[in-house]
Amino acid sequence: MDNNCIFCKIANGEIPSSTVYEDEMFRVILDLSPATKGHALVLPKQHFRNIFDIDEKTASKLFVVASKVARAMKETLKCDGMNIVQNNEEIAGQTVFHFHLHIIPRYTDDGQNINWTPGSSKPEELQQIAAQIKSAL
Ligand code: AMP
Ligand code: ZN
């Protein structure tokens, strides 16, 4: 627990939140500035800055929780789709430096656009990049 981290305090129940799910490792809360109705954040109770330092146990349980919550949202909020978003470091839009996974229900005509501009590639470039990444795995 990091005493200067607001999500540590929320995840561990020191600051109240609109909690939709809690177990020994995670708390799932509603985002204070929701992109759409039901926008939620999965917060590990343990402090990790982001994807680059999350531990294996937390990473392996994360999508079990996310998919559970996603199904509950589909059933109750009747959303038409869902975006799962997870930002790491400032360049990627991270503003709170405690790992969190966004679960954003999508509705027809919700006016949101959560996307990127597709680029282009050459097969040899892709091969070279794949080899580079693979070398560290
Ligand atoms: P990110 O930009 O991925 O770091 O996302 C941070 C998210 O946390 C934003 O969507 C904020 O609206 C949300 N947020 C910040 N403070 C709180 C809070 N106290 N309770 C709930 N959501 C929060
Ligand atoms: Zn924290």
Side-chain angles (χ1 to χ4, degrees):
M1 164 117 185
D2 176 341
N3 283 325
N4 298 314
C5 173
I6 184 160
F7 278 6
C8 273
K9 290 182 180 154
I10 293 174
N12 291 283
E14 282 183 24
I15 293 179
S17 61
S18 301
T19 295
V20 302
Y21 175 85
E22 184 183 5
D23 62 24
E24 66 285 352
M25 288 181 71
F26 297 96
R27 182 187 293 270
V28 183
I29 65 166
L30 293 185
D31 196 295
L32 272 189
S33 309
T36 63
K37 181 181 169 186
H39 180 171
L41 303 172
V42 184
L43 310 179
K45 291 187 174 177
Q46 195 177 337
H47 182 84
F48 302 103
R49 180 179 170 89
N50 55 36
I51 192 80
F52 301 118
D53 70 341
I54 194 169
D55 72 9
E56 206 168 312
K57 186 176 173 206
T58 307
S60 71
K61 293 278 193 296
L62 185 69
F63 267 84
V64 176
V65 172
S67 58
K68 214 191 281 271
V69 173
R71 283 190 290 267
M73 284 178 174
K74 190 161 168 49
E75 190 182 323
T76 56
L77 303 178
K78 313 290 181 204
C79 53
D80 303 302
M82 188 158 284
N83 288 110
I84 303 293
V85 178
Q86 203 273 308
N87 302 324
N88 301 281
E89 300 299 344
E90 224 166 276
I91 185 67
Q94 185 175 12
T95 59
V96 180
F97 293 90
H98 174 120
F99 182 99
H100 53 280
L101 186 77
H102 293 261
I103 302 180
I104 307 175
R106 299 301 304 273
Y107 306 90
T108 307
D109 302 326
D110 64 20
Q112 286 291 351
N113 181 24
I114 301 165
N115 230 318
W116 60 86
T117 309
S120 58
S121 67
K122 295 195 184 92
E124 60 274 22
E125 239 172 37
L126 296 184
Q127 288 296 337
Q128 192 264 325
I129 297 165
Q132 219 179 332
I133 300 167
K134 227 165 132 180
S135 72
L137 293 170

